[in-house]
């Protein structure tokens, strides 16, 4: 009796050990499958990153990712042939790739159309589940096509799902029956989510690339148009020498300079910086530049006229100065531009710091308004001899603002230099500003001609910036009244 009890207990213990061993084996098998799936996912991710890195501008990113994904899955499962195609929400093929790379386009489309309608891929699409065929000769889900270019005896089709939506179908083929086991099918099922992420990212990357190229094309057109707004030719006057510099921080800029002739043989000089950066600033740059030119030439716009009389202008003068209306009248353009921008575009809150000077080349008298712009300098033989500070607010902030007119005498040999804050606020790699003090130190050296002086400043400026990004547009305008021979 006791002996029998011991035997029964031993059998029960053995049976329990067997069940535990079976469970352990299942757990090990699952861990192996999960490990294999992890390695497959890692390999897919590595290939995806490598594809992005090596893809040339001419190569379609999505097509390269499809091919890499199919190649990786074929290597993992030992498949000899296969296909991977993407579907839209209506089930239409949007892109595809075959391991049989030499397959003609028409033949490829024919094969895909047939298998989606009647074959294993179509079954997988409708059932939203993996399809495993151990032997194509005994499974009616397999569609045997006439003139099949290669033998297929086992097949595995995997739906690529994202939120229950079929993004695509991966099909793997082998010429021997039973090649794809349930374990391999499970492995590919675990890997399908990673494939979906890779394909989604490739599609998104492709869309971004397409959008980026279109945007860059439009910005490049904008850059060329904006360049056309800068003067193509600087007026050549016998007693003046002029040098300019323009370096936008982006493809389009808010800075501008202008040099143009005015009635009475006066020379208009403008340097300005529109608030903000990018496309919006560039559009307003063109508007400011056009308005200054139009109004300074005594032309009306929208019922506004710049023709003024001496009494109206006298209240704007700093002190008793020459009041030649031919030289003073163009400066009314600043007040008119201010009102037009403030009234017509108030909702945009756009404005510009702007210096507009009218120079008499014969006498060297410069009559000007500095609307909130950086200080301009007059440089003589021994360095800075005059600072042209702000005479009014930035242009376009509020209507009916007052802008005082001032004058300065440019003696023979004197240099006038104007710049935007992209110069003084240029940053080094450590974040330090170039500063007005450093600019002044370059101007306090013995005077040079405009071009060498411009080269001196830009060389020191870009040495300061080094490999740091250019945060703002950089613009300079230098005018010298030549000394008499």
């Amino acid at each position: 009796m006791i002996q029998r009890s011991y035997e029964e207990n031993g059998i029960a213990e053995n049976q329990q050990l067997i069940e535990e061993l079976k469970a352990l084996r299942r757990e090990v098998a699952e861990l192996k499958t999960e490990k294999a799936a992890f390695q497959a996912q890692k390999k897919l991710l590595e290939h995806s990153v490598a594809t992005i890195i090596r893809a040339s501008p001419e190569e379609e990113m999505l097509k390269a990712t499809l091919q890499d994904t199919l190649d990786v899955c074929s290597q993992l499962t030992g498949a000899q042939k296969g296909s991977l195609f993407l579907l839209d929400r209506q089930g239409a093929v949007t892109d595809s790739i075959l391991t049989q790379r030499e397959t003609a386009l028409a033949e490829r489309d024919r094969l895909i159309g047939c298998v989606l309608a009647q074959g294993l891929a179509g079954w997988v699409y409708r059932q939203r589940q993996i399809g495993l065929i151990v032997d194509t000769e005994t499974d009616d889900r397999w569609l045997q096509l006439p003139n099949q270019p290669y033998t297929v005896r086992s097949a595995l089709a995997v739906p690529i799902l994202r939120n229950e939506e079929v993004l695509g179908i991966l099909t793997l083929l082998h010429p021997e029956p039973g090649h794809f086991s349930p374990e391999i099918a499970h492995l590919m099922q675990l890997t399908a989510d990673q494939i979906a992420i890779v394909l989604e990212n490739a599609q998104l990357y492709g869309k971004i690339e397409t959008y980026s190229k279109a945007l860059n094309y439009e910005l490049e057109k904008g850059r060329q148009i904006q360049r056309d707004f800068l003067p193509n030719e600087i007026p050549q006057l016998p007693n003046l020498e002029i040098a300019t510099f323009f370096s936008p921080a982006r493809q389009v800029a808010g800075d501008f300079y202008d040099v143009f002739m005015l009635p009475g043989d006066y020379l208009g000089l403008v340097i300005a910086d529109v608030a903000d950066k990018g496309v919006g600033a560039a559009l307003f740059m063109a508007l400011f530049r056009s308005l200054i030119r139009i109004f300074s030439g005594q032309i009306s716009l929208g019922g506004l006229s710049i023709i003024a009389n001496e009494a109206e202008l006298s209240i704007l003068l700093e002190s008793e100065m020459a009041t030649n209306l031919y030289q003073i009248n163009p400066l009314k353009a600043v007040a008119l531009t201010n009102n037009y921008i403030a009234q017509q575009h108030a909702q945009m809150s756009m404005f510009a710091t702007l210096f507009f000077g009218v120079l008499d080349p014969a006498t060297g008298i410069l009559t000007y308004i500095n609307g909130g712009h950086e200080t301009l300098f007059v440089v003589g033989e021994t360095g800075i001899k005059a600072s042209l500070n702000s005479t009014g607010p930035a242009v376009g902030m509020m209507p009916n603002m007052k802008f005082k007119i001032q004058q300065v005498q440019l003696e023979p040999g004197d240099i006038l230099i104007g710049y935007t804050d992209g110069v003084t606020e240029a940053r080094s790699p450590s974040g330090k500003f170039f500063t007005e003090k450093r600019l002044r130190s370059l101007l306090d050296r013995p005077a040079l001609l405009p071009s060498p002086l411009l080269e001196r400043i830009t060389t020191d400026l870009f040495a300061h910036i080094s490999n740091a990004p250019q945060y703002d547009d950089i613009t300079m305008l230098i005018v010298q009244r030549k000394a008499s021979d």
Side-chain angles (χ1 to χ4, degrees), residues 240 265-269 327 357-361 364-367 410 479:
L240 295 178
D265 293 328
Y266 291 101
L267 184 68
L269 301 169
Q327 189 168 7
V358 180
L359 177 64
D360 184 347
I365 295 175
L366 176 69
T367 307
L410 297 185
V479 181

Side-chain angles (χ1 to χ4, degrees), residues 275-294:
D276 207 359
K277 299 177 181 65
V279 175
L283 292 173
F284 273 87
M285 165 267 185
L287 180 58
F288 272 96
R289 184 259 192 189
S290 299
L291 291 174
I292 290 292
R293 278 215 173 194
I294 290 170

Side-chain angles (χ1 to χ4, degrees), residues 221-233 246 258 285 289 293:
K221 286 200 300 184
R223 186 191 69 82
Q224 294 172 0
I225 291 171
Q226 187 178 43
R227 284 279 183 178
D228 291 340
F229 274 100
L230 299 176
N232 291 326
E233 294 183 3
F246 177 70
D258 206 358
M285 165 267 185
R289 184 259 192 189
R293 278 215 173 194

Side-chain angles (χ1 to χ4, degrees), residues 50 64 74 94 119 134 141 185 221 233 260 273 310 323 373 410 472:
S74 297
T94 60
V134 177
R141 291 176 299 175
K221 286 200 300 184
E233 294 183 3
F260 52 95
D273 183 358
E310 188 171 348
T323 56
H373 196 70
L410 297 185
D472 202 357

Side-chain angles (χ1 to χ4, degrees), residues 307-337:
I307 298 176
N309 56 49
E310 188 171 348
E312 290 175 329
L313 291 168
S314 62
I315 62 173
L316 300 175
L317 296 177
E318 179 75 5
S319 60
E320 293 182 3
M321 298 177 183
T323 56
N324 184 334
L325 287 182
Y326 277 113
Q327 189 168 7
I328 300 297
N329 255 327
L331 294 173
K332 190 69 175 298
V334 175
L336 291 169
T337 298

